[in-house]
Amino acid sequence: MINILLVSPEKSTFKELETAFQEKKITAKWTDSAQNALLMFSKEKFDLFITHEHLTDMTGRELIEKALVKNAMMNSVAASTLSHDDFHKAYEGLGVLMQFPPAPGKEHVQNLLNHLNRITLIAGQQDKSRGEQD
Amino acid sequence: MKNGRIAIPSNGQGGLDGTRSGHFGHCDVFTLVDVEDSEIKDVSILRNQEHVQGGCMVPVNLLSENRVNALVVGGIGMRPLMGFRQVGIDVYHDDQRPGIGTVVKDLIAGNLARISNDQVCGGGGGQM
């Protein structure tokens, strides 16, 4: 079971995401600021967070930077209006899983879970390969 | 470096006579060099895994599970750099010389500097 945090100034922004995760029996918590999110990361283990690009206290990009200093293993997704190329330039090196539109829907949740599964599969192949060597 | 295992992102088959890859996440193989009492004791090759967007932690975990202590890169993104630090792998920087053997000897001799936060680049890539 994965633990997800949604970060956006308005809860309604990610309402469809929250519902889509619930339908898949995945609990997604929500908070309204980057500072709250960082506090929650210190207290609880999250596998993934999804942040809006504009938060009240910093940008989504800044939150991702600060979060990976705490725990680089935690995955992130940013909801952004940037074009594909501009997003890539702005977020390069931060290891963001994917870009969501500003108000993502159910189909984006499915794409995200498919992508996470792919990464898990690659990591699994790694473990299997190591097991064969041992 | 007196003792430990060094990983070098490498092109093709790797090895001490091979060339370094400028993009560690996309490298073909990692050349692993075991060092004892500041001398090269063994050289082995570790195949890299498939690279996908956001999959920066795959090589981090791969090298950690293969007991690597130090990595030499031409460039690296912030997330994998933090990841390597968090699993206890020191990351060194050389963006000038393409030869694997050269940078390995320099690292053993203590002539390479650890990469700093302001040297991180986008996409885990770098130019040599």
Side-chain angles (χ1 to χ4, degrees):
Chain A
M1 182 59 71
I2 57 173
N3 203 15
I4 297 175
L5 183 65
L6 308 176
V7 193
S8 61
E10 301 294 331
K11 197 170 196 293
S12 58
T13 308
F14 287 156
K15 188 64 192 166
E16 264 199 61
L17 279 189
E18 203 174 346
T19 305
F21 281 125
Q22 280 171 353
E23 285 173 1
K24 293 182 179 297
K25 313 289 183 201
I26 295 170
T27 304
K29 294 178 181 174
W30 171 82
T31 191
D32 64 349
S33 73
Q35 289 301 339
N36 281 345
L38 291 168
L39 199 61
M40 291 172 80
F41 295 153
S42 300
K43 293 178 177 175
E44 190 176 343
K45 183 182 175 293
F46 287 92
D47 304 290
L48 166 74
F49 69 99
I50 301 171
T51 180
H52 194 270
E53 65 182 333
H54 301 299
L55 303 173
T56 53
D57 46 357
M58 64 181 78
T59 65
R61 189 191 186 285
E62 287 169 325
L63 171 60
I64 293 169
E65 269 194 27
K66 289 179 188 293
L68 63 84
V69 172
K70 283 176 180 284
N71 178 13
M73 298 299 165
M74 183 167 54
N75 288 303
S76 66
V77 170
S80 167
T81 56
L82 292 175
S83 69
H84 177 271
D85 288 351
D86 288 343
F87 182 85
H88 185 70
K89 281 180 198 161
Y91 287 81
E92 271 187 305
L94 299 182
V96 175
L97 280 187
M98 59 173 57
Q99 176 185 7
F100 273 0
K106 285 183 184 179
E107 69 275 23
H108 300 104
V109 165
Q110 190 56 56
N111 286 343
L112 171 62
L113 294 177
N114 290 344
H115 194 68
L116 272 174
N117 283 340
R118 190 170 172 211
I119 291 175
T120 305
L121 189 66
I122 294 168
Q125 286 168 347
Q126 187 171 298
D127 290 343
K128 189 180 171 210
S129 169
R130 192 169 63 104
E132 286 167 355
Q133 286 171 5
D134 290 344
Chain B
M1 183 179 196
K2 194 173 177 186
N3 295 294
R5 174 171 279 187
I6 301 167
I8 310 287
S10 311
N11 296 316
Q13 299 301 308
L16 288 179
D17 296 328
T19 58
R20 297 166 61 208
S21 169
H23 194 311
F24 88 90
H26 289 263
C27 71
D28 298 317
V29 298
F30 291 96
T31 299
L32 303 183
V33 182
D34 292 319
V35 179
E36 284 178 28
D37 293 326
S38 301
E39 293 199 354
I40 295 172
K41 288 294 177 190
D42 192 26
V43 178
S44 53
I45 304 300
L46 177 66
R47 188 167 53 85
N48 195 11
Q49 300 292 317
E50 180 187 356
H51 184 80
V52 296
Q53 185 180 346
C56 316
M57 294 302 105
V58 172
V60 171
N61 290 325
L62 178 68
L63 296 187
S64 175
E65 287 168 1
N66 281 276
R67 301 179 299 281
V68 167
N69 307 103
L71 171 73
V72 184
V73 297
I76 192 169
M78 190 172 175
R79 186 180 180 199
L81 176 61
M82 293 300 137
F84 280 121
R85 285 183 182 165
Q86 287 166 20
V87 298
I89 296 176
D90 295 326
V91 182
Y92 294 83
H93 183 239
D94 183 301
D95 60 0
Q96 299 297 316
R97 293 162 304 169
I100 293 169
T102 314
V103 294
V104 167
K105 283 176 189 165
D106 260 6
L107 178 55
I108 292 170
N111 293 333
L112 288 188
R114 284 192 183 131
I115 196 164
S116 59
N117 286 2
D118 59 4
Q119 287 175 303
V120 295
C121 59
Q127 302 298 316
M128 285 188 291

